[in-house]
Amino acid sequence: ESITVQELANRMAEKGADLVKALFKMGTAVTLNQPIDQDTAELLVEEFGHRIQRVSDADVEIGMQGEADAPETLQPRAPVVTIMGHVDHGKTSLLDALRGTNVVSGESGGITQHIGAYQIKTKGGDLITFLDTPGHEAFSEMRARGANVTDIVILVVAADDGLMPQTIEAINHTKAAGVPMIVAINKCDKPDANPQKVRERLLEHEVIVEDMGGETQDVEVSALKRQGLDALIDKILLQSELLELTANPDRAAEGNVIEAQLDKGRGAVATVLVRRGTLKVGDTFVIGAESGKVRAMINDKGQQVKQAGPSTPVEVLGLSGVPMAGDQLTVVENEARAREVAAYRQEQATKKRTTAAPTSFEHMFSALNTKVIEYPVVVKGDVQGSVEAIVSSLNKISTDEIKVRILHSGVGAITESDVTLAAASRAPLIGFNVRPNAKARQLAEREKISLRYYDVIYDLLEEVRGEMAGQLAPER
Ligand code: GDP
């Protein structure tokens, strides 16, 4: 284990040149980018009056998985909503229309800023946060990175077009995440709109709306004519009430990156959705493997704000580098600590990249501790007939102890959407006489997804059966 002089300087929040000078005095001539050994590093640390503090895993796990807040500190928070659906069914139009319902947008004088999320204030004074990166890929990508930021999904289905492949994908991504869904049947202004047919077709995918005796709320809207929006907002608020969403606003902030980029004038900027606590200007933080100090915050109306509480999206300035969507922000006590945690995370990320095994079944099962073990899987095939045969055979090999759970099945090449869905649930992806496209293959490699190809159904079933049996071996 060695560290460069510069790295050590960063972690101690000292000037690299000062370290070089000190080393020279100690009889060692090195340059900034040269590595030094552990002993020398420890000497230097002491020389500069710092404590040697090893960062343990437990230390770094501060954050979402960390300690829960005491019940009496919890206060209601706004729901975070993501809109999904097939291309051209009106996701963007609906996001724009909903944004237009904001009762304070007119008087604030701010200019609408696209920062990846926005918040509206309803007529009744309630707040709702919308993530404005529609699509299930962004949704599942975030989830694969451990960021379950969405509380409610709005599934947009065009009433004239009905259920389409990406509608079904969106349903499956939402179900896999266990997030409640509200169906917005859009384009109801069109003469050929057939909302009832949409409701019926949804039954086939086990989405049962209230009219059909189910529990999923649905609402007819027209994003274009701005009809049905109040009803949709009411349903979001109702769902949100059922979820009893709360957070402690009075603690060091934690949040997730919604999007991030390098801005020409402003450096690295990230839109952060605060999950709990309140983020303030001047706060020192770690964000993914980067660190920083909040220099300024800008809300979705383009206004500078001094603080941001739970469920509030804000653009944060003052980052050391560009983090990734889904990365976690954690406010820490000081800069030295921030650098330390960031360096540790960077190390872990590199380790993970170089040593992570492909999605293993052990991993999958150890992540689950329900009584009935689930075996999640995504199935793609070349023709409808074989996909149906595979799905029904897979369901049949379920037992009382272990159940196959088909996250998604479909006809056609393996796409990025399939991979993100598999990645989010750490599930294997089975291709029957189909292959991934180039982008999906790259993503699968990055996410270490287990891709299996078969051309004989019998082989496929035997292998899955074997792995399922292996998981139920006596040593468990
Ligand atoms: P997205 O791909 O799901 O984001 O869909 P868009 O919001 O871009 O909408 C696709 C097309 O449908 C655009 O031409 C919209 O003007 C149109 N559209 C969206 N909502 C409605 C609606 O409620 N009624 C009608 N008639 N057209 C709509």
Side-chain angles (χ1 to χ4, degrees):
E1 288 282 347
S2 64
I3 184 169
T4 67
V5 176
Q6 184 63 58
E7 247 169 47
L8 183 63
N10 290 348
R11 291 199 201 181
M12 294 197 296
E14 298 285 356
K15 284 204 192 84
D18 291 346
L19 266 70
V20 172
K21 249 184 256 166
L23 279 167
F24 190 70
K25 275 191 213 151
M26 286 154 65
T28 320
V30 292
T31 61
L32 278 180
N33 294 317
Q34 250 172 301
I36 49 175
D37 61 33
Q38 184 99 32
D39 291 343
T40 315
E42 289 191 3
L43 273 176
L44 265 182
V45 171
E46 273 158 20
E47 175 80 13
F48 280 80
H50 291 274
R51 239 166 354 109
I52 296 173
Q53 186 187 14
R54 304 226 180 273
V55 187
S56 72
D57 281 11
D59 266 354
V60 180
E61 289 301 320
I62 36 174
M64 287 328 153
Q65 304 86 352
E67 76 295 357
D69 289 292
E72 65 272 15
T73 63
L74 300 177
Q75 286 180 31
R77 65 169 178 85
V80 178
V81 180
T82 297
I83 298 192
M84 298 208 260
H86 195 73
V87 65
D88 279 347
H89 278 198
K91 298 180 292 294
T92 314
S93 307
L94 190 60
L95 274 161
D96 287 347
L98 285 164
R99 189 168 200 162
T101 63
N102 190 2
V103 294
V104 292
S105 58
E107 62 202 53
S108 66
I111 300 158
T112 301
Q113 287 270 319
H114 283 275
I115 63 171
Y118 65 83
Q119 202 169 47
I120 63 161
K121 190 171 204 166
T122 68
K123 286 173 191 148
D126 297 291
L127 296 171
I128 303 175
T129 302
F130 291 95
L131 298 189
D132 74 9
T133 32
H136 46 260
E137 269 156 53
F139 176 80
S140 283
E141 238 166 67
M142 297 262 290
R143 208 157 67 75
R145 300 187 59 75
N148 286 309
V149 297
T150 301
D151 299 309
I152 298 167
V153 165
I154 295 181
L155 179 73
V156 177
V157 189
D160 58 335
D161 207 18
L163 264 63
M164 297 299 280
Q166 286 165 41
T167 315
I168 294 155
E169 280 176 12
I171 292 171
N172 292 331
H173 280 255
T174 307
K175 280 191 178 167
V179 174
M181 182 193 300
I182 297 171
V183 182
I185 306 176
N186 190 32
K187 306 200 185 184
C188 283
D189 58 286
K190 286 195 148 186
D192 53 347
N194 190 345
Q196 192 52 27
K197 190 170 158 213
V198 171
R199 292 186 192 98
E200 282 162 17
R201 288 284 321 281
L202 282 169
L203 285 174
E204 294 163 29
H205 300 277
E206 283 145 57
V207 177
I208 310 163
V209 301
E210 285 171 329
D211 271 2
M212 302 271 187
E215 285 177 352
T216 304
Q217 301 194 81
D218 71 302
V219 54
E220 293 181 15
V221 298
S222 164
L224 193 72
K225 302 256 192 278
R226 300 184 180 234
Q227 284 158 358
L229 300 181
D230 286 344
L232 176 57
I233 286 170
D234 285 346
K235 291 190 190 242
I236 294 170
L237 294 174
L238 179 64
Q239 185 67 59
S240 159
E241 224 168 89
L242 291 173
L243 292 170
E244 296 184 31
L245 305 169
T246 57
N248 174 6
D250 303 312
R251 52 162 292 145
E254 288 171 3
N256 288 98
V257 175
I258 301 301
E259 59 177 49
Q261 76 253 5
L262 197 61
D263 189 293
K264 262 192 198 137
R266 304 180 300 167
V269 294
T271 296
V272 171
L273 179 71
V274 178
R275 306 289 300 283
R276 61 176 181 176
T278 297
L279 186 63
K280 303 185 180 91
V281 170
D283 276 351
T284 299
F285 60 81
V286 182
I287 192 165
E290 305 293 339
S291 59
K293 189 174 181 149
V294 182
R295 208 165 68 221
M297 291 192 286
I298 294 145
N299 69 10
D300 54 341
K301 284 120 199 144
Q303 301 156 324
Q304 292 230 11
V305 291
K306 290 259 175 292
Q307 51 181 45
S311 295
T312 312
V314 274
E315 202 174 47
V316 177
L317 277 67
L319 286 67
S320 64
V322 183
M324 299 214 277
D327 273 349
Q328 190 176 316
L329 170 139
T330 311
V331 168
V332 292
E333 60 271 29
N334 57 47
E335 279 173 41
R337 178 77 183 133
R339 289 206 187 84
E340 196 173 37
V341 177
Y344 177 82
R345 281 190 188 170
Q346 206 137 35
E347 233 166 67
Q348 291 304 103
T350 317
K351 245 190 231 159
K352 207 169 138 203
R353 264 202 304 282
T354 49
T355 60
T359 337
S360 72
F361 288 95
E362 282 91 315
H363 177 115
M364 258 167 43
F365 288 109
S366 68
L368 299 163
N369 46 17
T370 43
K371 263 217 165 131
V372 180
I373 299 174
E374 278 189 343
Y375 179 102
V377 61
V378 176
V379 179
K380 290 301 284 279
D382 55 342
V383 290
Q384 189 63 34
S386 45
V387 171
E388 274 168 17
I390 291 165
V391 167
S392 103
S393 311
L394 280 173
N395 281 327
K396 275 191 210 128
I397 59 176
S398 290
T399 66
D400 288 347
E401 291 164 291
I402 182 159
K403 281 200 159 32
V404 172
R405 180 159 171 233
I406 314 281
L407 296 173
H408 177 63
S409 63
V411 176
I414 295 165
T415 64
E416 280 175 280
S417 161
D418 300 325
V419 176
T420 50
L421 179 59
S425 296
R426 308 308 299 163
L429 216 167
I430 291 177
F432 187 80
N433 284 329
V434 291
R435 300 267 150 175
N437 60 34
K439 275 186 163 175
R441 189 174 322 121
Q442 284 161 14
L443 187 62
E445 266 165 35
R446 237 186 6 255
E447 297 283 351
K448 314 252 180 260
I449 284 307
S450 164
L451 279 174
R452 291 108 185 267
Y453 311 116
Y454 300 92
D455 47 18
V456 179
I457 296 186
Y458 178 82
D459 294 346
L460 185 167
L461 293 174
E462 277 310 292
E463 214 170 300
V464 170
R465 208 196 306 267
E467 274 156 353
M468 286 169 70
Q471 285 310 314
L472 291 172
E475 68 265 19
R476 276 183 51 87

